[in-house]
Amino acid sequence: MPRSYDTLRSARWFAPDDFRSFGHRSRVMQMGYAPTDWVGKPIIAIVNTWSDANQCHSHFKQRVDDVKRGVFQAGGFPLELPAISLSESMVKPTTMLYRNFLAMETEELLRSHPVDGAVLMGGCDKTTPGLTMGALSMGLPFIYLPAGPMLRGNWRGQVLGSGSDAFKYWDQRRAGQLSDQAWQEMEAGIARSHGTCMTMGTAATMMGIAEAVGFTLPGASSIPAADANHVRMSAECGRRIVEMVWDDLTPAKMLTRANFENGIACAMAMGCSTNAIVHLIAMSRRAGHPVTLDDFDAASRRVPVVANIRPSGDTYLMEDFFYAGGLPAMLERIRGHLQTEARTVNGRTLGQNIEGAEVFNDDVIRPLANPIYAEGALAVLRGNLAPDGVVIKPSACAPHLLQHTGRALVFDDYPALKKAVDDPELDVTGDDILVLRNAGPKGAGMPEWGMLPIPTKLLKQGVKDMLRLSDARMSGTSYGGCLLHCSPEAAIGGPLALVRTGDRITVDVPARTIHLEVSDEELARRKAAWTPPPPRYERGYGWMFGRHILQANEGCDFDFLETAFGRPVPEPDIF
């Protein structure tokens, strides 16, 4: 049975016949609204991460009006609430520093305002997890509206993909093989519409995961931002959230562990960004249904990569994925790996949502018998160098590096690394393993420095990939033999802090192991002599971040924001 109006949160603000509610009503009327606009109706928050500095969300200025149209059509009353935007390209030192800031802001926006449900507008990398983490903690009915990928890039007749091609051609430029004119032409052609990166980077990965978990309308995550379907989907989000409020379809009533297991299976089949692990772990812990690194690695053994999208694939982009049937078609293809009984925001199960979805191009979304990579996109390695795990993306790595022993070449900070890799006299070979440390959550906010540049000396020799190890992350559009999220990180004294140039490191991806060829006794001596680096921040938000951030294997949430930390926050007092 639908709820009655007097049970809605917003009625606490507007329904009583008292002086405080008089103030609420009069101030809404101050904005030009009449009681007929809100009385008896759910009030819907539209959390909009638009800004002039976020290229991925530049269309949200218009899409918010489409959402409002849908809310009005369904008999609700919309309120747009702006939130921090987190442009992956523009925000420094890293948007990862501010993901939890967005989560806090979202939770408190929803808690402190007279709203009954929410439409969350995001897409750029950290906005999907940030928005959903906050909304999960608040517990109101919500629906996620993904920004959608931009159109394919184009340069001199070639199709370009965000990040992946930029990295590739930048190496050519560093090797002296690309002119200034060609580089400038590429700058103008690689990003030519609003929307997120159109490779299977973190943005596309997290939008797809949000759909597989059940937070979006069916097919919403694959629609290109510039497509008219995106406008219609936005209005439908507005209509659906009103129904969700009347049905009281809260996250607690909708979600089980199965939803997040579906997110993992989807990630593997997509050839996902390595960042999927950090974000999905954090989201699941907020929901009270935690998944772990072991769950990701187990899924990687079972679920093949079937989405032939760069960088795991070598040809297609997200626009092609949409034309081939989009996420519903891919999920239908891996149905046997899904928990199809899991509920979604449209009130149906995932299995019902994907029933009969067709693949229209078997090269873009491959059959299970012909995957682009037989195992999943990610692997988790453990050993004396990473007791709590290190992550690699084997589907985007040169095969000869999956079992490799090499000499460590260690850098304590990114400026030192950057200077060294352009030194023509650098003592390095393609068999070495580049190591960057102090770039983890506490050390630097965990920026996307993990795709360490291959030394120019090696590029000129034709080396295109080598093993690179760090406690940082890398862009989801990146590729190569990058070992990431090394936990515990160096800044808190993890084993990575003890590695020295010249040490030998053995990596065995099939066996899921990483080993520093140094005795336990020697490591103990080094640990006794180790001193922690000085704190990066001594005041402000960064100070709080450094004291409360969890490690990568725990999702990099703030300890005090997790579900298990303290009693649930009560509804705000109204006096």
Side-chain angles (χ1 to χ4, degrees):
M1 289 287 292
R3 301 170 66 184
S4 60
Y5 173 68
D6 61 346
T7 66
L8 298 182
R9 285 184 81 244
S10 59
R12 295 182 62 229
W13 273 258
F14 295 107
D17 183 13
D18 60 21
F19 182 76
R20 182 52 58 207
S21 295
F22 155 80
H24 301 151
R25 293 189 295 266
S26 67
R27 293 305 185 178
V28 174
M29 295 178 75
Q30 178 186 2
M31 294 185 285
Y33 297 106
T36 52
D37 287 310
W38 78 80
V39 172
K41 300 177 181 180
I43 297 181
I44 304 300
I46 305 173
V47 183
N48 189 355
T49 52
W50 172 88
S51 87
D52 273 332
N54 193 328
Q55 65 294 325
C56 299
H57 298 179
S58 58
H59 54 314
F60 277 1
K61 209 170 189 177
Q62 291 75 44
R63 293 296 185 272
V64 69
D65 291 332
D66 301 315
V67 178
K68 289 180 179 179
R69 170 164 51 92
V71 172
F72 282 129
Q73 287 171 345
F77 181 55
L79 293 177
E80 180 181 359
L81 303 178
I84 191 171
S85 194
L86 300 188
S87 164
E88 194 67 25
S89 301
M90 301 296 179
V91 173
K92 305 300 177 188
T94 169
T95 54
M96 191 62 190
L97 189 66
Y98 300 105
R99 183 201 69 180
N100 297 343
F101 188 108
L102 175 59
M104 292 174 68
E105 183 178 22
T106 301
E107 180 178 350
E108 299 308 324
L109 279 173
L110 300 181
R111 176 172 290 112
S112 60
H113 285 86
V115 298
D116 304 300
V119 176
L120 312 176
M121 299 179 65
C124 199
D125 294 13
K126 308 308 177 296
T127 57
T128 300
L131 288 164
T132 55
M133 286 162 65
L136 284 165
S137 290
M138 179 53 202
L140 294 182
F142 74 86
I143 191 168
Y144 185 70
L145 191 166
M150 72 174 92
L151 299 177
R152 290 182 290 243
N154 189 281
W155 171 66
R156 294 186 175 183
Q158 298 181 50
V159 173
L160 293 181
S162 306
S164 301
D165 282 312
F167 293 125
K168 178 176 72 175
Y169 287 112
W170 176 241
D171 281 347
Q172 290 188 18
R173 181 162 166 75
R174 289 174 58 222
Q177 300 166 1
L178 207 61
S179 69
D180 290 350
Q181 176 65 29
W183 187 248
Q184 290 167 8
E185 289 175 7
M186 190 185 303
E187 286 181 355
I190 197 168
R192 60 188 188 88
S193 82
H194 48 259
T196 68
C197 292
M198 77 310 249
T199 44
M200 189 55 75
T202 305
T205 291
M206 294 311 301
M207 291 187 291
I209 286 174
E211 181 172 337
V213 171
F215 295 152
T216 82
L217 295 171
S221 68
S222 312
I223 304 170
D227 194 296
N229 285 286
H230 198 273
V231 178
R232 292 189 285 272
M233 180 270 293
S234 299
E236 181 58 28
C237 284
R239 291 188 289 270
R240 176 57 193 159
I241 188 59
V242 174
E243 296 172 350
M244 289 177 67
V245 169
W246 286 128
D247 292 340
D248 198 26
L249 185 54
T250 62
K253 294 178 179 178
M254 186 183 88
L255 299 173
T256 68
R257 197 173 192 277
N259 294 80
F260 295 98
E261 291 174 350
N262 287 340
I264 294 175
C266 171
M268 294 301 163
M270 288 190 297
C272 64
S273 162
T274 49
N275 292 309
I277 291 183
V278 172
H279 298 321
L280 190 53
I281 286 175
M283 291 159 62
S284 71
R285 289 164 71 115
R286 288 290 189 104
H289 302 291
V291 296
T292 67
L293 288 178
D294 290 337
D295 294 312
F296 277 90
D297 195 60
S300 77
R301 297 287 199 179
R302 300 189 306 267
V303 186
V305 179
V306 296
N308 188 12
I309 310 298
R310 303 181 201 175
S312 291
D314 57 8
T315 304
Y316 301 108
L317 297 170
M318 289 302 297
E319 191 176 344
D320 306 294
F321 185 69
F322 174 66
Y323 300 146
L327 197 78
M330 190 203 78
L331 294 178
E332 174 64 17
R333 186 146 275 183
I334 66 162
R335 175 182 280 268
H337 296 290
L338 299 173
Q339 306 289 330
T340 54
E341 76 285 355
R343 297 182 71 190
T344 71
V345 291
N346 71 344
R348 294 159 60 87
T349 66
L350 182 67
Q352 290 171 325
N353 287 344
I354 64 176
E355 185 70 41
E358 296 183 60
V359 173
F360 303 112
N361 186 326
D362 279 334
D363 195 39
V364 178
I365 303 174
R366 295 282 188 87
L368 291 176
N370 183 34
I372 68 165
Y373 193 75
E375 289 192 355
L378 306 179
V380 179
L381 316 185
R382 285 188 172 87
N384 68 342
L385 189 49
D388 293 329
V390 67
V391 176
I392 190 171
K393 189 173 184 176
S395 60
C397 174
H400 73 278
L401 297 174
L402 298 180
Q403 291 178 296
H404 182 79
T405 298
R407 180 190 65 149
L409 184 56
V410 182
F411 301 94
D412 287 322
D413 56 69
Y414 202 87
L417 167 74
K418 190 173 181 180
K419 180 179 179 181
V421 295
D422 287 328
D423 180 359
E425 303 302 320
L426 182 65
D427 179 15
V428 65
T429 73
D431 289 330
D432 291 339
I433 299 176
L434 301 183
V435 177
L436 174 67
R437 60 188 172 204
N438 301 316
K442 285 184 182 287
M446 210 178 183
E448 291 185 341
W449 296 346
M451 187 181 177
L452 313 187
I454 294 174
T456 304
K457 172 182 176 180
L458 298 182
L459 290 173
K460 292 181 177 180
Q461 296 172 7
V463 175
K464 296 182 178 180
D465 199 4
M466 64 188 302
L467 285 182
R468 290 154 278 178
L469 168 66
S470 74
D471 45 14
R473 298 176 303 110
M474 76 175 182
S475 166
T477 66
S478 303
Y479 53 87
C482 300
L483 296 146
L484 309 154
H485 313 179
C486 191
S487 296
E489 64 176 303
I492 64 170
L496 190 66
L498 311 179
V499 183
R500 296 178 180 174
T501 293
D503 289 345
R504 306 283 288 178
I505 298 173
T506 295
V507 172
D508 190 332
V509 174
R512 299 298 198 261
T513 59
I514 182 168
H515 188 73
L516 178 63
E517 308 292 344
V518 175
S519 70
D520 292 343
E521 293 76 16
E522 173 60 19
L523 288 177
R525 283 191 289 270
R526 294 182 187 182
K527 183 63 181 285
W530 177 79
T531 57
R536 182 171 289 262
Y537 300 100
E538 295 190 5
R539 63 164 301 280
Y541 175 75
W543 179 90
M544 181 178 73
F545 184 100
R547 279 154 180 76
H548 294 284
I549 192 70
L550 297 173
Q551 289 292 288
N553 62 299
E554 299 171 302
C556 294
D557 202 353
F558 289 158
D559 53 10
F560 64 86
L561 292 179
E562 290 206 306
T563 301
F565 191 95
R567 291 182 293 107
V569 179
E571 284 288 338
D573 293 327
I574 302 176
F575 297 122

